[in-house]
Amino acid sequence: MKPSYRLFYAPDNASLIIRLVLEELQLPYETHLVDRTVSAQKSPEYLAVNPSGKIPALETPDGTISEVGAILLYLSETHQALAPQSGEKDRPAFLKWLFFISNTLHPDLIMQFYLHRYGPEDTQPELRKRTSARLQTHLGLLDELAGNSSILGADRLSVLDYYVATCLRWSALYPQGETGWFDLTDYPALHALCERLEHRAAVRAAIDAEGLGPTPFSMPHYACPPEGAAL
């Protein structure tokens, strides 16, 4: 039977979050490499899939979805898993923090990675300083949440766990030479979350698929994927 899902991905990009969730849900899916080394995300073929040119996109029985937060919400609702469902008491908090991660944490990480998009070169040191300070505040809030809630870092796994862990991975690696602001051990609850996730079968599958190394969240190394390249 043909898989219900097709993930358009690039190694160690935001598509990794979706791969982890698909694996955790044990859903059959296909992958299609969007090769960033040749700017395939800007090709007419990929723009026909996702006109924004962003990775990932997920083909589903209900149509193609883009935007990480939207895909995670769709998967957790469709499969009634990895999130409090409508009517459960933790649902409002889950939605709040999902959108905090997708609308606040993730965009500030992107800014940190691509400062040249946001101002001239002589302004970038100050921009980096301000962005780093915001990111430390965001992660402090998430560390507190992970130590005191049932929606992040709890016994009941959620899509937030994989989203945050992937953001922590990137914080430690990118951009090369500019990660001094980040130390995972400053966030003990998030550190513990990363270590727990690394024992899960879903993570081991993602490690093999994208060449992430044995400790992709707690002690990450740059990816050596079997196809494509992590950029």
Side-chain angles (χ1 to χ4, degrees):
M1 184 175 66
K2 184 178 179 180
S4 298
Y5 295 110
R6 188 182 194 205
L7 176 64
F8 291 82
Y9 90 102
D12 209 11
N13 276 233
S15 50
L16 172 59
I17 303 158
I18 309 306
R19 182 193 291 274
L20 287 162
V21 170
L22 290 168
E23 290 286 349
E24 186 65 42
L25 292 170
Q26 299 183 343
L27 298 172
Y29 66 99
E30 298 175 345
T31 58
H32 178 89
L33 175 68
V34 183
D35 190 351
R36 294 184 67 198
T37 64
V38 294
S39 298
Q41 73 274 22
K42 300 177 183 178
S43 68
E45 292 79 12
Y46 186 65
L47 292 175
V49 174
N50 184 7
S52 75
K54 293 182 179 180
I55 305 168
L58 184 70
E59 287 185 355
T60 82
D62 302 306
T64 301
I65 308 176
S66 58
E67 302 298 330
V68 172
I71 297 171
L72 294 177
L73 193 57
Y74 171 85
L75 289 173
S76 64
E77 288 183 342
T78 299
H79 299 283
Q80 298 284 289
L82 297 183
Q85 300 301 310
S86 180
E88 294 186 45
K89 67 179 181 64
D90 287 332
R91 180 69 171 180
F94 167 79
L95 292 173
K96 167 189 170 180
W97 289 105
L98 174 61
F99 282 89
F100 173 82
I101 297 163
S102 64
N103 292 355
T104 303
L105 174 65
H106 198 165
D108 271 346
L109 279 174
I110 291 171
M111 185 174 182
Q112 184 83 325
F113 302 157
Y114 304 108
L115 278 180
H116 62 278
R117 299 177 181 175
Y118 297 90
E121 187 173 354
D122 62 348
T123 67
Q124 290 181 17
E126 182 62 25
L127 282 173
R128 188 173 301 284
K129 180 179 178 181
R130 293 180 181 181
T131 307
S132 297
R134 288 199 305 272
L135 286 166
Q136 288 172 326
T137 298
H138 304 336
L139 294 180
L141 292 172
L142 289 167
D143 190 62
E144 182 177 358
L145 179 71
N148 296 282
S149 81
S150 58
I151 57 172
L152 179 67
D155 291 338
R156 180 184 180 183
L157 198 71
S158 86
V159 296
L160 303 186
D161 294 304
Y162 282 126
Y163 201 166
V164 171
T166 305
C167 288
L168 293 168
R169 169 183 170 78
W170 297 333
S171 297
L173 295 177
Y174 306 111
Q176 293 189 36
E178 297 289 352
T179 61
W181 67 273
F182 176 76
D183 184 341
L184 181 57
T185 61
D186 289 338
Y187 312 99
L190 296 179
H191 190 186
L193 164 64
C194 287
E195 291 183 327
R196 287 198 304 273
L197 288 178
E198 288 169 345
H199 297 288
R200 299 194 69 84
V203 177
R204 310 318 294 182
I207 286 171
D208 292 341
E210 301 197 14
L212 302 179
T215 53
F217 305 132
S218 64
M219 296 182 65
H221 300 281
Y222 296 109
C224 295
E227 65 173 356
L231 296 175

